[in-house]
Amino acid sequence: MSFLQEKMRFPGSQWIVGYVLPILLFALFLLLQGVNPIATFGNMISSVFGDFYGFGEVIIMTTPFILTALATVIPARAGLVNVGGEGQLAIGALTSTIAAVFLIDGWPMWIGLPLLMIFGALGGMIWAGIAAVLKAKSGMNETITTLLLNYIAFYTLAFFVHGPLKDPTSFNWPHSPELSDSLRLPTIPGSRIHIGIVIAIVIAVGMYFLFKKTRWGFYLKIVGGNPIAAFQSGFKVNKLQFWALVMGGAIAGLAGMIEVTGIEGRLRQTTGVDYGYLGFLAAWMARNHPIGIIFTALIIGMISVSGNSMEMTAGLPASVVHILMALVLFGILAMGRKSKS
Amino acid sequence: MIIEVLTGAIIAGTSVLYATTGELISERAGVINLGTEGSMVSGAMAAFAATAWSGSPWIGLAFGAIAGLLISLIHAFLVIDRKANQLATGLTIMFFGLGLSAFFGRSLVDKQINGFESIDIPLLSQIPFVGRILFTHDVLTYLSYLLVPAVWFFLFRTKWGIILRGAGENEQVVYAYGKSPKLVRYLAVMAGGLLAGVGGAQLSTAFTHTWIEGMTQGRGIIAVALVIFASWLPFRAMLGAYLFGGAYALQLALQGRGVDISQFLLFMLPYVLTLVAMFIVERKQRNMMPLGLKDVFEGGGN
């Protein structure tokens, strides 16, 4: 393999392994399914770049990925692995929906939306907080606890949309009632693009400065770099790690609120499914860089949207998106850059 | 009711037991594989499909095992050869397995199969109480009774067991035996994938006799959690798997009796129980962790 690694130094060949090879593999896969790959790729590209609508869909898709990626990035700074963006998003979506339906239904937007943001963030904080407490009190590994909590969150959400939160007018469809118009995120007129993307980018940039310019960011970096040395030098490692994880949860929870209030205006069992995992992968692709994740989230957003178009135009099932996504990620993983967070 | 739950614990826990045992082997060699979920779900689909086509669950089992192994081979290549991040790779493989199995399994959803049936073992199944709980199951469950002591023996009483654990603890041991740590890790990950595939096969062809998209529902992830719960010890992994199975069986039993609790709260039970079980045993755990894994868990999986 060593000669291959030598060749890998050329940036071009990295891109070939990382991006071209997976696409060729996927084309082969399509051929074997009796689907014309060139036409399919054409449709995929035009679904993303072809018109304003497609572009809008990409923006909408990218928004939650930026936020769930940040939910991984902040704990990663402190040396923690948060794979729980999935559950934190779900609980944030749940708490903000509960607040919108039962507490502040019909409240004016200027106070209602900020409140919902807080409720969503709180939901995510609580969910990440469980893992953070388990970590601090009993040393339980957060990778595993956040993963397990994802499944618990999924069923919690299912319980609510089938039970206390179920829309009484929906016959048997399990979803929440529609939120009042004043509690929906503003959209660009004539499109589905909502202001969530602005919120996401502002937070990402804010995080960048937090990491670079504040003492807290500096402490996080020291703790993340070498927790044991940091502990011995008198840093409150547990406390810093606790808050890093909880803050990550807050941002994932906010993503849940944005999904509910920005797109459909109601909560479903499937709201935000997979977004947490895709955000984790976006964070990994960007080496946990808070600005880099905006671009990696965009890549994942484009794959998701173009994948949906395959479903419609080539008659392929939705699961194909997962295959394409995995192939692209395999390529990037195989490039074998040493990750440094 | 108690017998029903305990019997159910065994049969529902068996798929998790295979996956957990496989993951244990892989982690003992220093590779954590969240892709176990992908191996398991692919194994479940391949086994179901092959059983449906061939009419023989044994052929199904072979396909399930191979599917699990092939999926894990990707993990092995990326993690061992390309030194990719273990957690990110595992998650990607989970996606890959879920996508592939959903894609190729879409025509199987309403198929009927003649899978593994329960066989009462003569005499043994007549033992009061214990007999019904332990000896009225499918062949794969019986095999898993043998697998666990076999893996224990292999890991702690054979030369190859020392070499495998050396790959996860101290590579010098592996070199001392004149073997390559890389090869050992490859084999361990592949064994893990194979067993996860068998676990998936048990789930689809022996336990449920159905195929549903994403039917493993996180059992592969549970397996990774249970390995930690088990302190990387095979018999404790068995206990963990049956604990998960017990919660699952309890949930079924309660639903069957029409207990007025939302099914979704019951579905949560096995996952909550796994967390609680880990919480109870956690404190002494980290000393038991193979050294090679510490970097993965504490350094973001590099």
Side-chain angles (χ1 to χ4, degrees), chain A residues 5-265:
Chain A
Q5 268 151 358
E6 286 298 314
K7 279 195 174 170
M8 290 289 178
R9 297 228 174 112
F10 295 106
S13 65
Q14 281 215 342
W15 277 78
I16 289 172
V17 176
Y19 296 95
V20 179
L21 203 65
I23 289 170
L24 286 179
L25 276 176
F26 191 67
L28 189 71
F29 172 79
L30 289 176
L31 267 179
L32 292 175
Q33 294 303 316
V35 176
N36 180 346
I38 294 169
T40 307
F41 285 143
N43 281 330
M44 286 169 69
I45 291 167
S46 69
S47 75
V48 172
F49 299 106
D51 50 20
F52 183 68
Y53 177 81
F55 172 74
E57 290 303 298
V58 172
I59 296 296
I60 292 168
M61 261 303 189
T62 303
T63 307
F65 299 156
I66 294 176
L67 293 169
T68 49
L70 285 172
T72 302
V73 167
I74 301 166
R77 282 270 154 174
L80 299 180
V81 185
N82 178 19
V83 205
E86 188 82 8
Q88 292 144 17
L89 182 149
I91 298 298
L94 176 64
T95 49
S96 53
T97 310
I98 290 175
V101 172
F102 295 122
L103 296 178
I104 60 169
D105 183 36
W107 283 30
M109 183 178 287
W110 65 269
I111 173 84
L113 276 182
L115 276 177
L116 286 189
M117 289 171 79
I118 292 170
F119 274 107
L122 272 177
M125 281 174 96
I126 291 169
W127 213 246
I130 299 174
V133 168
L134 290 175
K135 169 100 186 167
K137 293 286 167 210
S138 140
M140 274 169 84
N141 181 274
E142 75 286 353
T143 314
I144 301 298
T145 52
T146 51
L147 269 171
L148 286 176
L149 284 165
N150 290 343
Y151 291 94
I152 300 172
F154 177 80
Y155 291 121
T156 306
L157 198 146
F159 165 72
F160 274 93
V161 294
H162 283 89
L165 251 184
K166 191 170 157 187
D167 183 356
T169 63
S170 76
F171 301 101
N172 272 322
W173 294 106
H175 54 65
S176 77
E178 201 167 1
L179 308 192
S180 52
D181 281 344
S182 62
L183 297 179
R184 307 283 296 272
L185 287 183
T187 51
I188 295 178
S191 80
R192 288 174 9 109
I193 305 173
H194 53 76
I195 60 162
I197 186 71
V198 181
I199 299 173
I201 290 175
V202 166
I203 294 178
V205 174
M207 277 302 145
Y208 175 78
F209 284 108
L210 202 71
F211 290 151
K212 287 278 170 218
K213 303 285 179 201
T214 70
R215 193 175 292 171
W216 191 70
F218 178 65
Y219 288 171
L220 275 189
K221 194 176 166 189
I222 289 174
V223 168
N226 188 341
I228 294 164
F231 180 76
Q232 284 162 348
S233 328
F235 282 94
K236 292 184 175 123
V237 174
N238 275 348
K239 196 177 162 196
L240 279 160
Q241 289 192 328
F242 178 91
W243 284 108
L245 188 51
V246 167
M247 265 189 77
I251 292 177
L254 183 64
M257 175 271 180
I258 289 174
E259 279 309 289
V260 171
T261 56
I263 298 182
E264 210 188 347

Side-chain angles (χ1 to χ4, degrees), chain A residues 137-138 141 151 162 334 339, chain B residues 82 91 218 264 282-283 297 302:
Chain A
K137 293 286 167 210
S138 140
N141 181 274
Y151 291 94
H162 283 89
S339 69
Chain B
R82 306 299 309 155
L91 271 185
F264 299 104
E282 179 66 30
R283 281 177 177 281
F297 278 128
N302 294 325

Side-chain angles (χ1 to χ4, degrees), chain A residues 33 134 137-141 144 148 151 155-156 158-159 162 277 280 284 317 319-320 322 330 333-334 339, chain B residues 78 82 85 87 89 91-92 95-96 102-103 106 217-218 222 224-225 228 262 264 268 279 282-283 297 300 302:
Chain A
Q33 294 303 316
L134 290 175
K137 293 286 167 210
S138 140
M140 274 169 84
N141 181 274
I144 301 298
L148 286 176
Y151 291 94
Y155 291 121
T156 306
F159 165 72
H162 283 89
Y277 293 125
F280 178 87
W284 170 78
S319 45
V320 172
H322 283 148
F330 284 151
L333 286 159
S339 69
Chain B
L78 290 172
R82 306 299 309 155
N85 177 305
L87 300 173
T89 308
L91 271 185
T92 307
F95 268 103
F96 189 60
F103 184 83
R106 64 196 193 282
Q217 290 173 315
I222 291 280
V224 179
I228 298 174
S262 160
F264 299 104
M268 251 182 242
F279 179 74
E282 179 66 30
R283 281 177 177 281
F297 278 128
N302 294 325

